Amino acid sequence: DAKTTQPNSMESNEEEPVHLPCNHSTISGTDYIHWYRQLPSQGPEYVIHGLTSNVNNRMASLAIAEDRKSSTLILHRATLRDAAVYYCILREPHSGNTPLVFGKGTRLSVIA
Amino acid sequence: EPEVTQTPSHQVTQMGQEVILRCVPISNHLYFYWYRQILGQKVEFLVSFYNNEISEKSEIFDDQFSVERPDGSNFTLKIRSTKLEDSAMYFCASSLEGGTGELFFGEGSRLTVL
């Protein structure tokens, strides 16, 4: 699997936007960029994914660099509930049961 | 909202004992996974399952581990003879599609091996 690089930790003030970066310089042309997060004492949960274009959903936005070697997960207004470990994961779309391979992720702390 | 449910939430067992962890995936999902997370470490892939057979497995998933979908609803992970290092949180996940399909994870089963 192509690897991703994320900062170990980040901190944000409540109600401010958060930009979580991810580098994936060895991404292949068909890899999708997925983001999951893990709240304390819970299982991982899906946040967003994309291929080339920027994506928005009710949880977050995903900005993908034109060369696809990096991406940024954007939380528009951080809340205390957004404190979690955020994982940026590359995944091939071939048919079959491609497992998600988790790295260490970025631990986001949100300060009230 | 449909969810993946896991039982038990916490199991304590003696080293060498057999353990079965149970999962009920989301009902129309076709792809199933087990992951584990040792305390303070990252989430590790164990095995994926589709069409009643293992699709992929990691190096962790050795002969002590097995998976089964016995009745079309449950998806179980069996550890034949537990070791101290099997102590971890075990997460079951399911997805409707393979490839880029979103995985839905359960809350996990904490296994403590004494």
Side-chain angles (χ1 to χ4, degrees), chain A residues 32 36 38 44 91 96-97 100, chain B residues 31 33 35 37 49 99 101 103:
Chain A
Y32 278 73
Y36 281 72
Q38 187 175 21
R91 201 167 179 217
N97 228 353
L100 286 175
Chain B
Y31 298 84
Y33 310 81
Y35 286 80
Q37 187 173 33
F49 192 86
L103 268 66

Side-chain angles (χ1 to χ4, degrees), chain B residues 26-92:
Chain B
I26 294 173
S27 62
N28 62 336
H29 283 188
L30 302 173
Y31 298 84
F32 312 107
Y33 310 81
W34 282 101
Y35 286 80
R36 79 170 187 191
Q37 187 173 33
I38 296 170
L39 187 65
Q41 298 187 24
K42 63 181 184 180
V43 179
E44 299 175 291
F45 168 71
L46 292 179
V47 65
S48 57
F49 192 86
Y50 170 71
N51 202 25
N52 282 318
E53 59 183 28
I54 290 173
S55 310
E56 289 192 45
K57 58 183 181 179
S58 71
E59 290 178 356
I60 303 168
F61 194 88
D62 61 21
D63 292 344
Q64 291 299 311
F65 291 88
S66 62
V67 288
E68 203 175 39
R69 189 158 158 79
D71 57 10
S73 61
N74 289 290
F75 179 51
T76 61
L77 174 70
K78 182 194 289 188
I79 309 174
R80 231 176 303 279
S81 176
T82 49
K83 308 185 191 86
L84 295 176
E85 54 264 38
D86 293 327
S87 295
M89 183 72 92
Y90 288 80
F91 294 108
C92 172

Side-chain angles (χ1 to χ4, degrees), chain A residues 1-4 24 26-28 31 89-92 94 98-102, chain B residues 35 45 56:
Chain A
D1 291 323
K3 292 197 173 196
T4 63
H24 29 78
T26 59
I27 191 171
S28 78
D31 283 335
I89 303 169
L90 302 183
R91 201 167 179 217
E92 291 180 13
H94 66 75
T98 317
L100 286 175
V101 178
F102 288 82
Chain B
Y35 286 80
F45 168 71
E56 289 192 45

Side-chain angles (χ1 to χ4, degrees), chain A residues 49-60:
Chain A
H49 78 280
L51 182 62
T52 55
S53 306
N54 294 344
V55 184
N56 300 294
N57 67 19
R58 63 176 177 82
M59 286 181 76

Side-chain angles (χ1 to χ4, degrees), chain A residues 3-7 20-27 35 68-72 88 90:
Chain A
K3 292 197 173 196
T4 63
T5 306
Q6 299 178 251
L20 296 162
C22 180
N23 287 321
H24 29 78
S25 58
T26 59
I27 191 171
W35 284 81
R68 295 202 342 116
K69 293 186 176 182
S70 65
S71 60
T72 303
C88 169
L90 302 183

